[in-house]
C-alpha cells in the first residue's frame, strides 16, 4: 500500500479544511493510504518540535504534502519548528526520492503566499525529495480550479475563515495528483 502523509499546521482552521480536502483526494485513489498529521502547539517544547514519533513515521511514507498558513510571508513558526526538527535526517538522506507537494492560504489575494510554497519546495529539495507541481493552468480550467493561478503548489485565499469551494476542489485534486504520482513512482 502506498502511503501519502499530509503534515500541516493551522492556527484558526482554514489550512486544516484544505488538509481535509487534500486527504479526501488522496483517499479517492485506490491502494493509497493517508497519514493525517497536524502540527499542534504542544508538539513544540522550548521552541523545538518534539513529536519525534511523527518524524519516525514519515520515514515509511512514499509522499508528503506540506500545509501551512502564510504568516508574515512564509510558513508559520510551528511548521518551521517541524522542518528544523528533521535536520538529523538530512545527512542520512532518509526522505530522498519521496514525492512532495504543498499548499497554503492567506487573507490577501497577493499576500506573499508564493514564498510559503517556495520555502516548502526548498525544504523538500534539501531532503532530496521530488516536488510535484499543481498541473492545472490557471484561467484555463473548465471547473475554474487553481483560481489564483499558482502552479508550484496550491495557494488559497480567505478573508473570513470560510473556504472558497473552488479552493477545496483544487485541494482535493492536489491530493489525487500526489497519490497518483506516488503510486506510479512506487511501481
Ligand atoms: C500573524 C499572522 C500573519 C499573517 N500573514 C499573512 C501574510 O503574510 N499574507 C497573507 O496573505 N495572509 C496573512 N495572514 C492571514 C492568514 O494567512 C489567514 O488568516 C489564514 O487563513 C490563516 O490560516 P489558519 O486558519 O489555518 O490558521 C496572517 C495572519 C496572521 C495571524
Amino acid at each position: 500500500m502506498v502511503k501519502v502523509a499530509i503534515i500541516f499546521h493551522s492556527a484558526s482552521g482554514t489550512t486544516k479544511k484544505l488538509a481535509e480536502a487534500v486527504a479526501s483526494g488522496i483517499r479517492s485513489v485506490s491502494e493509497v493510504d493517508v497519514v493525517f498529521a497536524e502540527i499542534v502547539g504542544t508538539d513544540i517544547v522550548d521552541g523545538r518540535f518534539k513529536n519525534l514519533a511523527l518524524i519516525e513515521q514519515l520515514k515509511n511514507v512514499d509522499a508528503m504534502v506540506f500545509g501551512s498558513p502564510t504568516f508574515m510571508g512564509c510558513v508559520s513558526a510551528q511548521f518551521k519548528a517541524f522542518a528544523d526538527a528533521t535536520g538529523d535526517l538530512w545527512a542520512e538522506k532518509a526522505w530522498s526520492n519521496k514525492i512532495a507537494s504543498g499548499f497554503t492560504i492567506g487573507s490577501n489575494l497577493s499576500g506573499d503566499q508564493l514564498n510559503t510554497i517556495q520555502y516548502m519546495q526548498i525544504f523538500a529539495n534539501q531532503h532530496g525529495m521530488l516536488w510535484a507541481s499543481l498541473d492545472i493552468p490557471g484561467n484555463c480550467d473548465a471547473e475554474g480550479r487553481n483560481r489564483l493561478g499558482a502552479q508550484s503548489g496550491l495557494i488559497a485565499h480567505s478573508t473570513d475563515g470560510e473556504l472558497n469551494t473552488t479552493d477545496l476542489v483544487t485541494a482535493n485534486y492536489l491530493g489525487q495528483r500526489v497519490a497518483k504520482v506516488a503510486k506510479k513512482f512506487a511501481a
Side-chain angles (χ1 to χ4, degrees):
M1 187 74 104
V2 170
K3 282 188 191 164
V4 180
I6 305 166
I7 308 104
F8 70 96
H9 169 248
S10 183
S12 57
T14 55
T15 310
K16 187 167 186 172
K17 287 179 190 161
L18 289 172
E20 284 161 353
V22 172
S24 76
I26 295 167
R27 287 193 191 99
S28 72
V29 178
S30 65
E31 293 163 24
V32 182
D33 255 1
V34 179
V35 175
F36 195 77
E38 181 171 6
I39 298 163
V40 293
T42 49
D43 288 333
I44 296 157
V45 181
D46 290 337
R48 294 288 177 199
F49 183 86
K50 296 289 184 189
N51 185 351
L52 303 183
L54 170 61
I55 291 175
E56 193 57 33
Q57 189 180 12
L58 294 177
K59 283 185 180 170
N60 299 319
V61 304
D62 300 280
M64 300 182 210
V65 189
F66 302 124
S68 170
T70 292
F71 279 174
M72 305 312 292
C74 199
V75 293
S76 65
Q78 289 86 342
F79 185 92
K80 187 63 167 64
F82 156 75
D84 291 355
T86 67
D88 287 346
L89 302 178
W90 171 75
E92 291 172 31
K93 297 179 36 173
W95 292 0
S96 186
N97 291 339
K98 294 182 191 292
I99 308 297
S101 193
F103 57 95
T104 190
I105 185 164
S107 58
N108 289 291
L109 274 171
S110 184
D112 296 319
Q113 293 96 322
L114 184 59
N115 189 56
T116 303
I117 298 291
Q118 286 180 333
Y119 170 70
M120 291 172 176
Q121 185 171 7
I122 288 170
F123 169 53
N125 290 162
Q126 286 211 336
H127 280 294
M129 301 174 85
L130 306 172
W131 190 259
S133 62
L134 178 60
D135 62 338
I136 301 175
N139 291 330
C140 291
D141 182 66
E143 294 173 55
R145 297 169 301 175
N146 190 14
R147 68 192 176 102
L148 297 185
Q151 292 197 239
S152 302
L154 167 60
I155 290 178
H157 171 248
S158 168
T159 52
D160 58 4
E162 294 301 317
L163 267 287
N164 178 287
T165 308
T166 307
D167 288 343
L168 290 172
V169 171
T170 310
N172 184 291
Y173 175 83
L174 183 69
Q176 281 182 47
R177 168 160 165 78
V178 173
K180 285 178 186 168
V181 171
K183 201 170 156 180
K184 197 169 181 177
F185 199 69

